[in-house]
Every structure is written in structure tokens, then in C-alpha cells.
Amino acid sequence: MAKSTLSFVCQNCGAAYNRWQGKCESCGEWNTLAEEDATGSVPVSIRSKRKGRTFALESLSGKTQDAPRLSSGMTELDRVTGGGFVRGSVLLVGGDPGIGKSTLLTQATSLMARAGHRIVYISGEEAVAQVRLRAERLGLSDAPVQLAAETSVEDIVSTLSEGAVPRLIVIDSIQTMWTDTVESAPGTVTQVRASAQALIRFAKKTGAAIILVGHVTKDGQIAGPRVVEHMVDAVLSFEGEGSQQFRILRAVKNRFGPTDEIGVFEMTGLGLREVTNPSELFLSERDLGTPGTAVFAGIEGTRPVLVELQALVAPTSLGTPRRAVVGWDPSRLSMVLAVLEAHCGVKLSGHDVYLNVAGGLRIHEPAADLAAAAALVSSLVNAQLPTDAVYFGEISLSGVVRPVAQTPARLKEAAKLGFQRAVLPESARGDAGGDAGLSLNAINSLTTLVAEIAARGSRRGESNAPAEKNATPARFRRGEG
Ligand code: TYD
Ligand code: MG
């Protein structure tokens, strides 16, 4: 009879020992030793005498039963998820109370149910009648969504295990769910985590996609569900300024798609309307002819988005001047201000500075540096920028204007919306394509831009001639002629 070849193998580094011990001497990890049969890698406990099961081998061609992704019927939502909901995946949708999460999901689920899929909507916050009322208001009462107001995860899982597997289940919201397996109250981290775990297990087992709705705390984090964030496949954040109609859906994390795409919606009396051309929306209420505004030609994901940056530079009465920014990175603003001071001779230390991205959009691109600088200088010297110009470019600490990606897409969008000229990095002129129909003012250093804007300011001060008449900077005219 063969000698027993049992040994204890570290699950971290693979070192083997002939007796159990708490610490692996090879890698220093604790509690990583497990009993294994040295003749094979299968632990003794699950080694069995049964013969292997046979399975059918298939050809490459053949009918696939179902698309792996389920389109929501809303282009803007699909864009953010990366083309629809993946089978067996779990998504977390976060946002402030009242931002429109339930509205968005009611609309999406109704469209999918109408397309013939089994869709279940579980509301833990509202009664069935309230959900019905909303659907009625949205004109979606006829959609065959299966609705329930429930909060017990065990009840939900056993109900949904019967019959056909739903394609999509919405849980509105995860904070209201509770499970018997843990003792703490609903809404606590332990409950939220345990409930989410149970639902995620259900999704992976059955292949149903699940959307968890999560509330957000004041500092913008998804409350409690912070712990859920790393358990789910994707986290979408629904943002917007309460007073404005625009809502932006952004992927914060996505295992099955991009994380830089945004979906833009407008809240109307009849629910959320998809906005397919966000630039038009963000520029719709432009303050034409006010110093301190510049249009930034940005990129959100794969889509160009034009947005107005508004700056106000005013003498301060405080010892430490104020720097306030909405919709952009405050440290990025500090950097632009420092470069303006150090390299362009623009003194801002005696001024309060406010910068705002119009329309409630949040910009993450460094390409906004140039537009921000233009708006700031324009406000400081009280000179209006040309209303038909867009700006983009990254500013380096040495004051050089650096190239940014996707120049042609930015220019094309600007031309489409009727802009006549673009101020862009010198080095980007090469990939501009030249067919966009815009006149290009390519600049190499921030100093050039500041001089051009300052010239507009002094010209306006000297004569009463309209600023627009002499708008074209000298450099720019030379380039054209
Ligand atoms: P809701 O989807 O309930 O928000 P959440 O689930 O994120 O808490 O939406 C609430 C707000 O949306 C509410 O203040 C009213 C507004 N709303 C409209 O303006 N139009 C509509 O058609 C609907 C259904 C809601
Ligand atoms: Mg809600």
C-alpha cells in the first residue's frame, strides 16, 4: 500500500510542510496552510471516487440564445453602462434624494418590459400605489413591469426564484433592505452589506441583472453602500444641481464598460428627457457679451461637449483672498492662478476668484486650463472675449500650452454649433485636420493669450469702438494672410 502523502501547503506561496503550523516560514503569512494531498492539487476532502461527467462539445457556429447585454431602450443610459445591462451583473445607482433615480429606473424598466423582457421592480421606499402614480404621470402605466413593495431579502429571493428568471431586477433602495442573517437594523452597514451580498449571489447564480439604488450622503459618497461599491460590477452616479433641470449620469466604476462616458438628461414635467446634444443644452443660456466667460471645447468619454466657463475676479477685502470653484478641480484652479502670476505677470493675490462651470457639468479634463485662464484674465481686465471662439489646451507649470487629445472632434463640434474660431495649442494645429472650417489661433505660451486679451481690454478702454470690430488678434491675422 502506498504511503500517505498528505502535507500542508501554504495557499499564499505554495510552500509545503509535513505538519500544520500557524505561520508560513517561507512567506511570513499567517493562517494560510491547508491540508492537501501531495500527489494531486485537489484537497482530500473533495477528492472522490466518481467518474468524470461527460459533456457535449459544440461547434463554433450555432444559435446563441440571448444577447449577453440587455439594452435599456434609453440611449443615454446605455452609453453609460457600456451598451446595456450585462447578464448576472449588479449595478449600483447612487444620487441625492429627489434627483430622479426612481424616475429614471421607472422609465427604463417600462421600456424594457414593453420590449418583452421579464422585469421586476421592488420598491422598499414607496408603496405600490405611489409607484403606480409615478408611472401614470410618466404615461407608462401599460408597461408590464412586475411591481412589489418589499424589504425582506429572503422573501424577495424566494419569490424571484420561482418562474422564469427575470432579466432585470430593480431594488429601490438597498438601504431599506434587510436580511434575517444579521441582527442589526436596516440601513446599517452590516445590513446593507449582507443584503447586497445575498442579492449579488442571486444575480450570479441565475444570470438576472440587478440594479441597486443607493442614497448619497452630504459629502457626495454613497452612504453605507461605500462597502457595496467594491462588491458590485458597476457604480453609476446620478448628479445635478437641484435648481437646474439637467441631470448627468456618470459611471464611477464599470467592469464591463468605460468610466468616462456621461449620459445627459433633462427633468421635465413628464419625466426625464434624453439630451442627445449636450453642447446645445450647456450653451443655451449663455451670457453673451459679458467679460469673464469663455467656451471650453471639452470631451466627455467619446463625445465632444461644449460648455461655458464663467469667472469673476474682484478686488478682495479679506487678508486671504477667496478662491471658489464649482464644477472643476480647485487645485487645478490654484495651478492656473500660480502660472498666471509667475509667468504672465498677472497679479491676482489681491483678488477674490470665482470660477463656475455653467449647466451643472463637472469637468475633469486638464484641457480646460486654457479656457479657465482666458475667462479669468477676461474678467480681470474687464474685456469681453470673442463670442464665436472656443478654447482648449493644457497649461504646464512653465506656462507652455500643451496639446490635448481629440483635437478634430472638438473642432468639429464647435463648427457644428456655429463657432468661427478656436484658440488651441500650437502643437495641436497639425492634427486639427484643417477641414473643420474654423480659423485657428494656435498659441504656444500662456503669455501670448494674456497679451491678446489685455490688448482687447485696453483697446476697449481707449476708443469707444465696439470690441468685436478689431477682435482678430494681430498674430492670428498674419497667420491667415
Ligand atoms: P425621484 O425619481 O422620486 O427621485 P429619487 O428616487 O432620486 O429620490 O424624483 C423626484 C423628483 O423628480 C421630484 O422632486 C419631482 C421630480 N419629477 C419631475 O419633475 N417630473 C416627473 O415627471 C417626475 C416623475 C418627477
Ligand atoms: Mg426614489
Side-chain angles (χ1 to χ4, degrees), residues 96-103 126 134 137-138 267-271:
D96 290 323
I99 201 79
K101 300 179 293 295
S102 306
T103 309
E126 293 162 296
R134 181 188 288 116
R137 175 172 174 177
L138 299 169
M267 183 61 96
T268 69
L270 291 171

Side-chain angles (χ1 to χ4, degrees), residues 220-375:
Q221 306 227 317
I222 296 175
R226 190 77 229 183
V227 291
V228 178
E229 273 187 31
H230 67 263
M231 294 159 58
V232 297
D233 298 304
V235 180
L236 309 185
S237 151
F238 205 31
E239 307 163 356
E241 297 292 321
S243 56
Q244 278 172 338
Q245 307 310 309
F246 318 133
R247 302 282 185 268
I248 292 160
L249 187 68
R250 187 187 290 281
V252 182
K253 157 184 172 177
N254 196 348
R255 284 186 187 148
F256 307 115
T259 52
D260 50 2
E261 290 284 5
I262 59 167
V264 184
F265 299 88
E266 184 182 358
M267 183 61 96
T268 69
L270 291 171
L272 290 158
R273 188 180 69 82
E274 296 183 69
V275 177
T276 39
N277 190 344
S279 303
E280 262 167 28
L281 179 108
F282 293 128
L283 295 178
S284 62
E285 284 155 25
R286 270 180 82 190
D287 264 344
L288 285 174
T290 328
T293 63
V295 175
F296 166 51
I299 297 276
E300 286 289 342
T302 53
R303 204 161 37 157
V305 174
L306 265 53
V307 62
E308 187 182 65
L309 300 191
Q310 306 165 340
L312 178 63
V313 178
T316 185
S317 54
L318 305 167
T320 315
R322 278 183 71 99
R323 268 86 178 98
V325 46
V326 178
W328 202 41
D329 182 3
S331 54
R332 207 75 214 170
L333 173 68
S334 306
M335 196 208 81
V336 171
L337 293 176
V339 174
L340 282 171
E341 288 240 23
H343 296 292
C344 311
V346 179
K347 293 275 165 272
L348 290 159
S349 49
H351 290 82
D352 287 336
V353 172
Y354 302 90
L355 189 80
N356 178 37
V357 178
L361 188 70
R362 201 173 296 275
I363 299 177
H364 299 277
E365 272 191 293
D369 291 354
L370 197 64

Side-chain angles (χ1 to χ4, degrees), residues 98-281:
I99 201 79
K101 300 179 293 295
S102 306
T103 309
L104 175 71
L105 295 174
T106 307
Q107 288 182 241
T109 45
S110 302
L111 292 176
M112 287 181 273
R114 274 185 186 163
H117 301 287
R118 183 181 178 206
I119 311 289
V120 178
Y121 193 108
I122 310 279
S123 176
E125 287 183 352
E126 293 162 296
V128 169
Q130 285 173 295
V131 181
R132 280 195 186 134
L133 214 62
R134 181 188 288 116
E136 205 169 299
R137 175 172 174 177
L138 299 169
L140 298 167
S141 300
D142 62 316
V145 175
Q146 300 183 327
L147 182 64
E150 279 301 331
T151 53
S152 158
V153 173
E154 278 77 27
D155 294 355
I156 293 171
V157 166
S158 36
T159 307
L160 296 182
S161 303
E162 283 169 11
V165 176
R167 268 318 293 268
L168 180 76
I169 303 155
V170 173
I171 305 287
D172 188 0
S173 65
I174 187 65
Q175 275 103 340
T176 55
M177 295 295 137
W178 62 279
T179 160
D180 293 336
T181 55
V182 290
E183 299 243 307
S184 35
T188 56
V189 171
T190 321
Q191 272 291 359
V192 166
R193 180 169 28 203
S195 306
Q197 246 154 14
L199 291 164
I200 290 169
R201 222 175 303 126
F202 178 77
K204 302 291 170 204
K205 201 177 84 191
T206 59
I210 297 188
I211 299 181
L212 305 174
V213 174
H215 290 291
V216 158
T217 55
K218 284 194 193 70
D219 58 358
Q221 306 227 317
I222 296 175
R226 190 77 229 183
V227 291
V228 178
E229 273 187 31
H230 67 263
M231 294 159 58
V232 297
D233 298 304
V235 180
L236 309 185
S237 151
F238 205 31
E239 307 163 356
E241 297 292 321
S243 56
Q244 278 172 338
Q245 307 310 309
F246 318 133
R247 302 282 185 268
I248 292 160
L249 187 68
R250 187 187 290 281
V252 182
K253 157 184 172 177
N254 196 348
R255 284 186 187 148
F256 307 115
T259 52
D260 50 2
E261 290 284 5
I262 59 167
V264 184
F265 299 88
E266 184 182 358
M267 183 61 96
T268 69
L270 291 171
L272 290 158
R273 188 180 69 82
E274 296 183 69
V275 177
T276 39
N277 190 344
S279 303
E280 262 167 28
L281 179 108

Side-chain angles (χ1 to χ4, degrees), residues 29-41:
E29 288 291 317
W30 287 88
N31 274 334
T32 53
L33 263 55
E35 195 178 351
E36 282 185 18
D37 187 337
T39 52
S41 55

